């Protein structure tokens, strides 16, 4: 996915489908290192369209795994920078499935 290749070039931290684990850290992506990249390098206005684009694919890949996250948790993980309530995350997940 070219969007992901772009993020990889800019940040060095990327997780590809279907595992969505960070290549550099092995953590679930967006990994803690990615999330601490300062806003002057990775702005919210950049992140929102990218994460919205990736979320439905990530939900399809990750939901229903034995130890896997539930769709609302996947929403929270990919848009960690927005203050979403559990109800809002659930509503977003329902629209993306
Ligand atoms: Zn990482």
């Amino acid at each position: 996915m070219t969007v992901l290749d772009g993020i990889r070039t800019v940040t060095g931290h990327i997780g590809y489908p279907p595992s969505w684990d960070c290549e550099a850290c092995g953590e679930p992506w967006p990994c803690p290192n990615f999330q601490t990249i300062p806003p002057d390098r990775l702005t919210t206005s950049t992140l929102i369209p990218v994460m919205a684009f990736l979320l439905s694919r990530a939900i399809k890949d990750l939901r229903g795994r034995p130890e896997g996250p539930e769709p609302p948790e996947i929403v929270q993980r990919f848009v960690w920078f927005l203050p979403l309530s559990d109800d809002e995350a659930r509503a977003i997940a329902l629209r993306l499935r």
Side-chain angles (χ1 to χ4, degrees):
M1 295 173 99
T2 53
V3 169
L4 291 170
D5 292 337
I7 295 170
R8 182 192 198 199
T9 302
V10 173
T11 71
H13 288 271
I14 193 66
Y16 287 99
S19 76
W20 297 97
D21 289 332
C22 179
E23 283 185 340
C25 322
E27 299 284 334
W29 188 87
C31 61
N33 284 316
F34 183 85
Q35 293 183 9
T36 56
I37 291 170
D40 61 321
R41 285 187 54 209
L42 205 56
T43 64
T44 300
S45 57
T46 302
L47 283 170
I48 286 176
V50 169
M51 292 306 173
F53 174 73
L54 296 177
L55 249 176
S56 61
R57 173 68 194 267
I59 288 172
K60 284 187 182 72
D61 287 339
L62 296 172
R63 68 189 293 214
R65 291 191 178 180
E67 310 275 316
E70 293 297 320
E73 295 173 71
I74 301 166
V75 172
Q76 301 271 24
R77 168 173 152 187
F78 276 72
V79 290
W80 76 94
F81 50 89
L82 295 179
L84 290 180
S85 70
D86 290 347
D87 282 346
E88 288 168 327
R90 199 171 301 117
I92 292 169
L94 283 171
R95 284 163 188 259
L96 290 174
R97 56 172 61 175

